[in-house]
Amino acid sequence: RTWTDEEAAAKLASLRPVKDGRLITVRFDSTVGDVLPWSFIPAQLDVKVVPGETALSFFTATNKSDKAITGVATYNVHPPKVGLYFNKIQCFCFEEQRLLPGETVDMPVFFFIDPEIMDDPQLKHVNNVTLSYTFFQTDMDDEEDDDDEEEDEDEAA
């Protein structure tokens, strides 16, 4: 689930870690699509959270090519049913990311596991969750190429 700014502010204001809640380990996994010349790794392999507790983690991406490239990340949560309770407040996956040649950036994901997970009998034994991201190159051309095409069209007119 993703939130509007107003919803997120209201939810965060009332969010509290579950007293005596079980500790859940969120493991991070990352891959890149075949044609994307980026490295993309989690800054830490996992984080332990109690439902209702917010967590901030980072992923590091490096553009290993000699041109600017725009990518977009997709994600999934495993086990799948945990996805109903896994809430990202802020995430690099919400919009495309453009990296300049050789640029390295740290990208945040700010999340929490909804306390209601404690009431789901199917998930009462789940203590490990995996958050996986895959970065793909978008179809967007290099900005410089776009400018050249416009100039060519102007000259042809």
mmCIF file of all heavy atoms in Angstrom, residues 3 8-26 47-56 82 84-89 110-119 129:
data_model
loop_
_atom_site.group_PDB
_atom_site.id
_atom_site.type_symbol
_atom_site.label_atom_id
_atom_site.label_comp_id
_atom_site.label_asym_id
_atom_site.label_seq_id
_atom_site.Cartn_x
_atom_site.Cartn_y
_atom_site.Cartn_z
ATOM 1 N N TRP A 3 0.668 5.655 0.217
ATOM 2 C CA TRP A 3 -0.152 6.619 0.933
ATOM 3 C C TRP A 3 -0.088 7.994 0.289
ATOM 4 O O TRP A 3 0.928 8.365 -0.272
ATOM 5 C CB TRP A 3 0.373 6.764 2.370
ATOM 6 C CG TRP A 3 0.435 5.491 3.123
ATOM 7 C CD1 TRP A 3 1.423 4.554 3.075
ATOM 8 C CD2 TRP A 3 -0.540 4.994 4.025
ATOM 9 N NE1 TRP A 3 1.124 3.507 3.901
ATOM 10 C CE2 TRP A 3 -0.069 3.748 4.497
ATOM 11 C CE3 TRP A 3 -1.762 5.471 4.487
ATOM 12 C CZ2 TRP A 3 -0.778 2.984 5.404
ATOM 13 C CZ3 TRP A 3 -2.455 4.702 5.397
ATOM 14 C CH2 TRP A 3 -1.977 3.484 5.843
ATOM 15 N N ALA A 8 -0.566 9.506 5.094
ATOM 16 C CA ALA A 8 0.689 9.097 5.730
ATOM 17 C C ALA A 8 0.915 9.875 7.019
ATOM 18 O O ALA A 8 1.296 9.298 8.042
ATOM 19 C CB ALA A 8 1.866 9.299 4.771
ATOM 20 N N ALA A 9 0.675 11.170 6.982
ATOM 21 C CA ALA A 9 0.872 11.996 8.175
ATOM 22 C C ALA A 9 -0.053 11.546 9.304
ATOM 23 O O ALA A 9 0.366 11.423 10.453
ATOM 24 C CB ALA A 9 0.642 13.466 7.836
ATOM 25 N N ALA A 10 -1.308 11.275 8.966
ATOM 26 C CA ALA A 10 -2.268 10.838 9.984
ATOM 27 C C ALA A 10 -1.885 9.464 10.541
ATOM 28 O O ALA A 10 -1.916 9.246 11.753
ATOM 29 C CB ALA A 10 -3.680 10.794 9.387
ATOM 30 N N LYS A 11 -1.509 8.549 9.671
ATOM 31 C CA LYS A 11 -1.134 7.205 10.112
ATOM 32 C C LYS A 11 0.133 7.255 10.968
ATOM 33 O O LYS A 11 0.209 6.620 12.022
ATOM 34 C CB LYS A 11 -0.930 6.300 8.896
ATOM 35 C CG LYS A 11 -0.595 4.867 9.232
ATOM 36 C CD LYS A 11 -1.801 4.135 9.779
ATOM 37 C CE LYS A 11 -1.503 2.665 9.981
ATOM 38 N NZ LYS A 11 -2.641 1.929 10.493
ATOM 39 N N LEU A 12 1.118 8.011 10.515
ATOM 40 C CA LEU A 12 2.374 8.110 11.268
ATOM 41 C C LEU A 12 2.166 8.742 12.637
ATOM 42 O O LEU A 12 2.810 8.355 13.605
ATOM 43 C CB LEU A 12 3.411 8.912 10.480
ATOM 44 C CG LEU A 12 4.054 8.160 9.328
ATOM 45 C CD1 LEU A 12 4.921 9.097 8.512
ATOM 46 C CD2 LEU A 12 4.861 6.991 9.836
ATOM 47 N N ALA A 13 1.259 9.704 12.708
ATOM 48 C CA ALA A 13 1.004 10.382 13.985
ATOM 49 C C ALA A 13 0.451 9.404 15.020
ATOM 50 O O ALA A 13 0.728 9.540 16.212
ATOM 51 C CB ALA A 13 0.036 11.547 13.782
ATOM 52 N N SER A 14 -0.316 8.422 14.562
ATOM 53 C CA SER A 14 -0.938 7.478 15.500
ATOM 54 C C SER A 14 -0.174 6.150 15.602
ATOM 55 O O SER A 14 -0.524 5.306 16.419
ATOM 56 C CB SER A 14 -2.379 7.190 15.058
ATOM 57 O OG SER A 14 -2.384 6.530 13.805
ATOM 58 N N LEU A 15 0.853 5.967 14.781
ATOM 59 C CA LEU A 15 1.578 4.701 14.738
ATOM 60 C C LEU A 15 2.450 4.510 15.972
ATOM 61 O O LEU A 15 3.196 5.401 16.367
ATOM 62 C CB LEU A 15 2.451 4.667 13.476
ATOM 63 C CG LEU A 15 3.024 3.332 13.061
ATOM 64 C CD1 LEU A 15 1.906 2.342 12.718
ATOM 65 C CD2 LEU A 15 3.926 3.524 11.851
ATOM 66 N N ARG A 16 2.339 3.344 16.581
ATOM 67 C CA ARG A 16 3.156 2.994 17.744
ATOM 68 C C ARG A 16 3.611 1.555 17.607
ATOM 69 O O ARG A 16 2.830 0.700 17.181
ATOM 70 C CB ARG A 16 2.359 3.125 19.046
ATOM 71 C CG ARG A 16 1.836 4.511 19.359
ATOM 72 C CD ARG A 16 2.954 5.465 19.780
ATOM 73 N NE ARG A 16 2.461 6.799 20.037
ATOM 74 C CZ ARG A 16 2.350 7.766 19.132
ATOM 75 N NH1 ARG A 16 2.682 7.544 17.889
ATOM 76 N NH2 ARG A 16 1.922 8.966 19.453
ATOM 77 N N PRO A 17 4.853 1.244 17.975
ATOM 78 C CA PRO A 17 5.278 -0.164 17.974
ATOM 79 C C PRO A 17 4.379 -0.988 18.894
ATOM 80 O O PRO A 17 3.986 -0.522 19.965
ATOM 81 C CB PRO A 17 6.705 -0.102 18.518
ATOM 82 C CG PRO A 17 7.165 1.297 18.248
ATOM 83 C CD PRO A 17 5.926 2.147 18.379
ATOM 84 N N VAL A 18 4.047 -2.182 18.467
ATOM 85 C CA VAL A 18 3.193 -3.059 19.259
ATOM 86 C C VAL A 18 3.947 -3.466 20.519
ATOM 87 O O VAL A 18 5.060 -3.981 20.451
ATOM 88 C CB VAL A 18 2.791 -4.307 18.439
ATOM 89 C CG1 VAL A 18 2.039 -5.305 19.300
ATOM 90 C CG2 VAL A 18 1.970 -3.906 17.226
ATOM 91 N N LYS A 19 3.316 -3.213 21.670
ATOM 92 C CA LYS A 19 3.927 -3.603 22.944
ATOM 93 C C LYS A 19 4.031 -5.124 22.979
ATOM 94 O O LYS A 19 3.061 -5.824 22.701
ATOM 95 C CB LYS A 19 3.073 -3.085 24.099
ATOM 96 C CG LYS A 19 3.674 -3.349 25.465
ATOM 97 C CD LYS A 19 2.815 -2.672 26.537
ATOM 98 C CE LYS A 19 3.233 -3.043 27.928
ATOM 99 N NZ LYS A 19 4.587 -2.752 28.288
ATOM 100 N N ASP A 20 5.225 -5.616 23.286
ATOM 101 C CA ASP A 20 5.494 -7.047 23.309
ATOM 102 C C ASP A 20 5.252 -7.719 21.952
ATOM 103 O O ASP A 20 4.983 -8.925 21.894
ATOM 104 C CB ASP A 20 4.659 -7.763 24.391
ATOM 105 C CG ASP A 20 4.966 -7.218 25.783
ATOM 106 O OD1 ASP A 20 6.154 -6.917 26.049
ATOM 107 O OD2 ASP A 20 4.026 -7.088 26.583
ATOM 108 N N GLY A 21 5.312 -6.924 20.874
ATOM 109 C CA GLY A 21 5.147 -7.486 19.532
ATOM 110 C C GLY A 21 6.363 -8.311 19.143
ATOM 111 O O GLY A 21 7.465 -8.092 19.640
ATOM 112 N N ARG A 22 6.126 -9.269 18.263
ATOM 113 C CA ARG A 22 7.245 -10.115 17.849
ATOM 114 C C ARG A 22 8.164 -9.349 16.897
ATOM 115 O O ARG A 22 7.724 -8.500 16.129
ATOM 116 C CB ARG A 22 6.740 -11.398 17.212
ATOM 117 C CG ARG A 22 6.120 -11.241 15.848
ATOM 118 C CD ARG A 22 5.688 -12.613 15.314
ATOM 119 N NE ARG A 22 5.129 -12.504 13.992
ATOM 120 C CZ ARG A 22 3.855 -12.253 13.729
ATOM 121 N NH1 ARG A 22 2.995 -12.064 14.726
ATOM 122 N NH2 ARG A 22 3.431 -12.174 12.480
ATOM 123 N N LEU A 23 9.425 -9.684 16.960
ATOM 124 C CA LEU A 23 10.421 -9.078 16.101
ATOM 125 C C LEU A 23 10.359 -9.749 14.731
ATOM 126 O O LEU A 23 10.372 -10.975 14.630
ATOM 127 C CB LEU A 23 11.803 -9.272 16.724
ATOM 128 C CG LEU A 23 12.894 -8.286 16.373
ATOM 129 C CD1 LEU A 23 12.467 -6.850 16.675
ATOM 130 C CD2 LEU A 23 14.155 -8.623 17.151
ATOM 131 N N ILE A 24 10.264 -8.946 13.684
ATOM 132 C CA ILE A 24 10.229 -9.462 12.316
ATOM 133 C C ILE A 24 11.491 -8.990 11.604
ATOM 134 O O ILE A 24 11.826 -7.809 11.633
ATOM 135 C CB ILE A 24 8.961 -8.982 11.568
ATOM 136 C CG1 ILE A 24 7.711 -9.530 12.259
ATOM 137 C CG2 ILE A 24 9.016 -9.393 10.099
ATOM 138 C CD1 ILE A 24 6.405 -9.036 11.677
ATOM 139 N N THR A 25 12.194 -9.921 10.977
ATOM 140 C CA THR A 25 13.385 -9.584 10.211
ATOM 141 C C THR A 25 12.974 -9.319 8.768
ATOM 142 O O THR A 25 12.371 -10.195 8.119
ATOM 143 C CB THR A 25 14.417 -10.723 10.248
ATOM 144 O OG1 THR A 25 14.794 -10.949 11.606
ATOM 145 C CG2 THR A 25 15.656 -10.380 9.430
ATOM 146 N N VAL A 26 13.255 -8.108 8.286
ATOM 147 C CA VAL A 26 12.995 -7.763 6.890
ATOM 148 C C VAL A 26 14.329 -7.849 6.160
ATOM 149 O O VAL A 26 15.260 -7.103 6.455
ATOM 150 C CB VAL A 26 12.391 -6.347 6.754
ATOM 151 C CG1 VAL A 26 12.168 -6.013 5.278
ATOM 152 C CG2 VAL A 26 11.092 -6.242 7.532
ATOM 153 N N VAL A 47 16.935 -5.704 8.406
ATOM 154 C CA VAL A 47 16.618 -4.866 9.554
ATOM 155 C C VAL A 47 15.548 -5.601 10.361
ATOM 156 O O VAL A 47 14.713 -6.312 9.794
ATOM 157 C CB VAL A 47 16.153 -3.455 9.112
ATOM 158 C CG1 VAL A 47 14.847 -3.493 8.355
ATOM 159 C CG2 VAL A 47 16.046 -2.511 10.291
ATOM 160 N N LYS A 48 15.601 -5.448 11.674
ATOM 161 C CA LYS A 48 14.607 -6.091 12.540
ATOM 162 C C LYS A 48 13.639 -5.015 13.038
ATOM 163 O O LYS A 48 14.070 -3.977 13.532
ATOM 164 C CB LYS A 48 15.297 -6.790 13.708
ATOM 165 C CG LYS A 48 16.175 -7.952 13.251
ATOM 166 C CD LYS A 48 16.891 -8.596 14.417
ATOM 167 C CE LYS A 48 17.804 -9.734 14.069
ATOM 168 N NZ LYS A 48 17.791 -10.308 12.791
ATOM 169 N N VAL A 49 12.351 -5.280 12.880
ATOM 170 C CA VAL A 49 11.325 -4.325 13.291
ATOM 171 C C VAL A 49 10.222 -5.032 14.051
ATOM 172 O O VAL A 49 9.979 -6.224 13.863
ATOM 173 C CB VAL A 49 10.710 -3.571 12.086
ATOM 174 C CG1 VAL A 49 11.725 -2.698 11.392
ATOM 175 C CG2 VAL A 49 10.065 -4.517 11.105
ATOM 176 N N VAL A 50 9.557 -4.270 14.889
ATOM 177 C CA VAL A 50 8.340 -4.710 15.560
ATOM 178 C C VAL A 50 7.191 -4.090 14.765
ATOM 179 O O VAL A 50 7.297 -2.942 14.323
ATOM 180 C CB VAL A 50 8.323 -4.197 17.020
ATOM 181 C CG1 VAL A 50 6.989 -4.478 17.682
ATOM 182 C CG2 VAL A 50 9.460 -4.829 17.804
ATOM 183 N N PRO A 51 6.102 -4.815 14.533
ATOM 184 C CA PRO A 51 4.975 -4.195 13.842
ATOM 185 C C PRO A 51 4.601 -2.853 14.494
ATOM 186 O O PRO A 51 4.578 -2.730 15.720
ATOM 187 C CB PRO A 51 3.853 -5.225 13.990
ATOM 188 C CG PRO A 51 4.588 -6.532 14.038
ATOM 189 C CD PRO A 51 5.837 -6.224 14.850
ATOM 190 N N GLY A 52 4.383 -1.857 13.635
ATOM 191 C CA GLY A 52 4.066 -0.517 14.115
ATOM 192 C C GLY A 52 5.281 0.381 14.252
ATOM 193 O O GLY A 52 5.152 1.585 14.470
ATOM 194 N N GLU A 53 6.462 -0.172 14.108
ATOM 195 C CA GLU A 53 7.699 0.598 14.201
ATOM 196 C C GLU A 53 8.152 0.977 12.788
ATOM 197 O O GLU A 53 8.170 0.134 11.890
ATOM 198 C CB GLU A 53 8.773 -0.265 14.870
ATOM 199 C CG GLU A 53 10.141 0.350 14.932
ATOM 200 C CD GLU A 53 11.176 -0.597 15.519
ATOM 201 O OE1 GLU A 53 10.941 -1.824 15.579
ATOM 202 O OE2 GLU A 53 12.235 -0.105 15.909
ATOM 203 N N THR A 54 8.512 2.244 12.585
ATOM 204 C CA THR A 54 9.010 2.654 11.278
ATOM 205 C C THR A 54 10.480 2.286 11.141
ATOM 206 O O THR A 54 11.208 2.187 12.127
ATOM 207 C CB THR A 54 8.845 4.175 11.056
ATOM 208 O OG1 THR A 54 9.555 4.876 12.068
ATOM 209 C CG2 THR A 54 7.383 4.580 11.052
ATOM 210 N N ALA A 55 10.899 2.083 9.896
ATOM 211 C CA ALA A 55 12.295 1.758 9.613
ATOM 212 C C ALA A 55 12.719 2.479 8.340
ATOM 213 O O ALA A 55 11.918 2.668 7.422
ATOM 214 C CB ALA A 55 12.472 0.258 9.447
ATOM 215 N N LEU A 56 13.964 2.880 8.319
ATOM 216 C CA LEU A 56 14.541 3.554 7.158
ATOM 217 C C LEU A 56 15.741 2.749 6.704
ATOM 218 O O LEU A 56 16.646 2.479 7.491
ATOM 219 C CB LEU A 56 14.970 4.983 7.523
ATOM 220 C CG LEU A 56 15.656 5.793 6.431
ATOM 221 C CD1 LEU A 56 14.711 6.059 5.261
ATOM 222 C CD2 LEU A 56 16.165 7.115 7.011
ATOM 223 N N VAL A 82 2.036 -11.016 3.393
ATOM 224 C CA VAL A 82 2.599 -9.946 4.229
ATOM 225 C C VAL A 82 2.500 -8.604 3.511
ATOM 226 O O VAL A 82 2.422 -7.553 4.142
ATOM 227 C CB VAL A 82 4.055 -10.262 4.630
ATOM 228 C CG1 VAL A 82 4.700 -9.093 5.362
ATOM 229 C CG2 VAL A 82 4.103 -11.507 5.501
ATOM 230 N N LEU A 84 0.078 -7.245 2.309
ATOM 231 C CA LEU A 84 -1.109 -6.519 2.774
ATOM 232 C C LEU A 84 -0.797 -5.607 3.953
ATOM 233 O O LEU A 84 -1.501 -4.631 4.201
ATOM 234 C CB LEU A 84 -2.206 -7.504 3.190
ATOM 235 C CG LEU A 84 -2.765 -8.419 2.103
ATOM 236 C CD1 LEU A 84 -3.664 -9.479 2.725
ATOM 237 C CD2 LEU A 84 -3.503 -7.599 1.063
ATOM 238 N N TYR A 85 0.249 -5.935 4.683
ATOM 239 C CA TYR A 85 0.591 -5.207 5.903
ATOM 240 C C TYR A 85 1.884 -4.403 5.777
ATOM 241 O O TYR A 85 2.247 -3.679 6.697
ATOM 242 C CB TYR A 85 0.733 -6.198 7.075
ATOM 243 C CG TYR A 85 -0.521 -7.016 7.285
ATOM 244 C CD1 TYR A 85 -0.636 -8.298 6.778
ATOM 245 C CD2 TYR A 85 -1.611 -6.478 7.963
ATOM 246 C CE1 TYR A 85 -1.786 -9.043 6.954
ATOM 247 C CE2 TYR A 85 -2.775 -7.206 8.143
ATOM 248 C CZ TYR A 85 -2.861 -8.496 7.632
ATOM 249 O OH TYR A 85 -4.015 -9.221 7.802
ATOM 250 N N PHE A 86 2.573 -4.560 4.657
ATOM 251 C CA PHE A 86 3.858 -3.885 4.443
ATOM 252 C C PHE A 86 3.587 -2.536 3.787
ATOM 253 O O PHE A 86 3.073 -2.471 2.674
ATOM 254 C CB PHE A 86 4.769 -4.732 3.558
ATOM 255 C CG PHE A 86 6.210 -4.332 3.644
ATOM 256 C CD1 PHE A 86 7.083 -5.037 4.461
ATOM 257 C CD2 PHE A 86 6.703 -3.249 2.938
ATOM 258 C CE1 PHE A 86 8.414 -4.677 4.565
ATOM 259 C CE2 PHE A 86 8.025 -2.881 3.036
ATOM 260 C CZ PHE A 86 8.879 -3.589 3.851
ATOM 261 N N ASN A 87 3.904 -1.458 4.486
ATOM 262 C CA ASN A 87 3.569 -0.121 4.016
ATOM 263 C C ASN A 87 4.816 0.719 3.792
ATOM 264 O O ASN A 87 5.582 0.948 4.728
ATOM 265 C CB ASN A 87 2.687 0.583 5.060
ATOM 266 C CG ASN A 87 1.367 -0.121 5.241
ATOM 267 O OD1 ASN A 87 0.438 0.096 4.491
ATOM 268 N ND2 ASN A 87 1.302 -0.999 6.228
ATOM 269 N N LYS A 88 4.985 1.164 2.552
ATOM 270 C CA LYS A 88 6.095 2.061 2.223
ATOM 271 C C LYS A 88 5.574 3.488 2.270
ATOM 272 O O LYS A 88 4.639 3.842 1.562
ATOM 273 C CB LYS A 88 6.666 1.730 0.845
ATOM 274 C CG LYS A 88 7.386 0.383 0.824
ATOM 275 C CD LYS A 88 8.077 0.105 -0.467
ATOM 276 C CE LYS A 88 7.200 0.083 -1.675
ATOM 277 N NZ LYS A 88 5.987 -0.704 -1.601
ATOM 278 N N ILE A 89 6.185 4.304 3.122
ATOM 279 C CA ILE A 89 5.793 5.698 3.260
ATOM 280 C C ILE A 89 6.531 6.536 2.223
ATOM 281 O O ILE A 89 5.973 7.427 1.601
ATOM 282 C CB ILE A 89 6.109 6.210 4.680
ATOM 283 C CG1 ILE A 89 5.354 5.367 5.704
ATOM 284 C CG2 ILE A 89 5.765 7.690 4.814
ATOM 285 C CD1 ILE A 89 5.946 5.413 7.089
ATOM 286 N N PHE A 110 11.397 4.083 3.344
ATOM 287 C CA PHE A 110 10.911 4.337 4.698
ATOM 288 C C PHE A 110 9.616 3.547 4.819
ATOM 289 O O PHE A 110 8.676 3.757 4.044
ATOM 290 C CB PHE A 110 10.693 5.841 4.865
ATOM 291 C CG PHE A 110 10.266 6.280 6.232
ATOM 292 C CD1 PHE A 110 10.830 5.762 7.383
ATOM 293 C CD2 PHE A 110 9.298 7.275 6.358
ATOM 294 C CE1 PHE A 110 10.435 6.192 8.643
ATOM 295 C CE2 PHE A 110 8.906 7.724 7.614
ATOM 296 C CZ PHE A 110 9.477 7.187 8.750
ATOM 297 N N PHE A 111 9.537 2.626 5.755
ATOM 298 C CA PHE A 111 8.408 1.700 5.788
ATOM 299 C C PHE A 111 8.036 1.301 7.210
ATOM 300 O O PHE A 111 8.756 1.582 8.172
ATOM 301 C CB PHE A 111 8.736 0.442 4.972
ATOM 302 C CG PHE A 111 9.831 -0.400 5.570
ATOM 303 C CD1 PHE A 111 9.535 -1.437 6.449
ATOM 304 C CD2 PHE A 111 11.167 -0.160 5.258
ATOM 305 C CE1 PHE A 111 10.543 -2.214 7.007
ATOM 306 C CE2 PHE A 111 12.177 -0.939 5.812
ATOM 307 C CZ PHE A 111 11.861 -1.961 6.684
ATOM 308 N N PHE A 112 6.902 0.619 7.309
ATOM 309 C CA PHE A 112 6.503 -0.040 8.554
ATOM 310 C C PHE A 112 5.624 -1.235 8.214
ATOM 311 O O PHE A 112 5.061 -1.325 7.118
ATOM 312 C CB PHE A 112 5.771 0.915 9.510
ATOM 313 C CG PHE A 112 4.421 1.379 9.028
ATOM 314 C CD1 PHE A 112 3.258 0.710 9.380
ATOM 315 C CD2 PHE A 112 4.307 2.509 8.229
ATOM 316 C CE1 PHE A 112 2.011 1.139 8.943
ATOM 317 C CE2 PHE A 112 3.073 2.951 7.790
ATOM 318 C CZ PHE A 112 1.923 2.269 8.141
ATOM 319 N N ILE A 113 5.545 -2.149 9.154
ATOM 320 C CA ILE A 113 4.625 -3.280 9.046
ATOM 321 C C ILE A 113 3.438 -2.952 9.942
ATOM 322 O O ILE A 113 3.606 -2.671 11.131
ATOM 323 C CB ILE A 113 5.300 -4.599 9.452
ATOM 324 C CG1 ILE A 113 6.444 -4.899 8.476
ATOM 325 C CG2 ILE A 113 4.283 -5.738 9.468
ATOM 326 C CD1 ILE A 113 7.266 -6.113 8.830
ATOM 327 N N ASP A 114 2.263 -2.962 9.331
ATOM 328 C CA ASP A 114 1.047 -2.580 10.048
ATOM 329 C C ASP A 114 0.838 -3.491 11.258
ATOM 330 O O ASP A 114 0.952 -4.721 11.152
ATOM 331 C CB ASP A 114 -0.159 -2.678 9.106
ATOM 332 C CG ASP A 114 -1.370 -1.971 9.660
ATOM 333 O OD1 ASP A 114 -1.807 -2.311 10.777
ATOM 334 O OD2 ASP A 114 -1.886 -1.069 8.982
ATOM 335 N N PRO A 115 0.527 -2.894 12.422
ATOM 336 C CA PRO A 115 0.276 -3.704 13.619
ATOM 337 C C PRO A 115 -0.828 -4.747 13.448
ATOM 338 O O PRO A 115 -0.852 -5.746 14.165
ATOM 339 C CB PRO A 115 -0.118 -2.668 14.677
ATOM 340 C CG PRO A 115 0.481 -1.384 14.206
ATOM 341 C CD PRO A 115 0.462 -1.452 12.707
ATOM 342 N N GLU A 116 -1.717 -4.543 12.485
ATOM 343 C CA GLU A 116 -2.808 -5.503 12.264
ATOM 344 C C GLU A 116 -2.299 -6.880 11.848
ATOM 345 O O GLU A 116 -3.037 -7.864 11.917
ATOM 346 C CB GLU A 116 -3.795 -4.952 11.229
ATOM 347 C CG GLU A 116 -4.576 -3.762 11.746
ATOM 348 C CD GLU A 116 -5.523 -3.184 10.716
ATOM 349 O OE1 GLU A 116 -5.755 -3.822 9.666
ATOM 350 O OE2 GLU A 116 -6.036 -2.081 10.955
ATOM 351 N N ILE A 117 -1.037 -6.968 11.431
ATOM 352 C CA ILE A 117 -0.469 -8.274 11.083
ATOM 353 C C ILE A 117 -0.524 -9.225 12.288
ATOM 354 O O ILE A 117 -0.626 -10.433 12.125
ATOM 355 C CB ILE A 117 0.986 -8.130 10.560
ATOM 356 C CG1 ILE A 117 1.416 -9.428 9.841
ATOM 357 C CG2 ILE A 117 1.945 -7.779 11.691
ATOM 358 C CD1 ILE A 117 2.741 -9.321 9.115
ATOM 359 N N MET A 118 -0.479 -8.656 13.478
ATOM 360 C CA MET A 118 -0.509 -9.469 14.703
ATOM 361 C C MET A 118 -1.833 -10.219 14.855
ATOM 362 O O MET A 118 -1.906 -11.226 15.549
ATOM 363 C CB MET A 118 -0.279 -8.578 15.936
ATOM 364 C CG MET A 118 1.030 -7.820 15.920
ATOM 365 S SD MET A 118 2.474 -8.854 16.084
ATOM 366 C CE MET A 118 2.322 -9.343 17.779
ATOM 367 N N ASP A 119 -2.897 -9.702 14.193
ATOM 368 C CA ASP A 119 -4.219 -10.304 14.313
ATOM 369 C C ASP A 119 -4.522 -11.303 13.195
ATOM 370 O O ASP A 119 -5.606 -11.877 13.166
ATOM 371 C CB ASP A 119 -5.295 -9.211 14.313
ATOM 372 C CG ASP A 119 -5.102 -8.229 15.463
ATOM 373 O OD1 ASP A 119 -4.651 -8.659 16.542
ATOM 374 O OD2 ASP A 119 -5.388 -7.030 15.263
ATOM 375 N N VAL A 129 10.626 -11.685 6.482
ATOM 376 C CA VAL A 129 9.996 -11.110 5.304
ATOM 377 C C VAL A 129 11.114 -10.679 4.361
ATOM 378 O O VAL A 129 12.155 -10.202 4.813
ATOM 379 C CB VAL A 129 9.140 -9.880 5.706
ATOM 380 C CG1 VAL A 129 8.574 -9.180 4.487
ATOM 381 C CG2 VAL A 129 8.031 -10.290 6.658
#
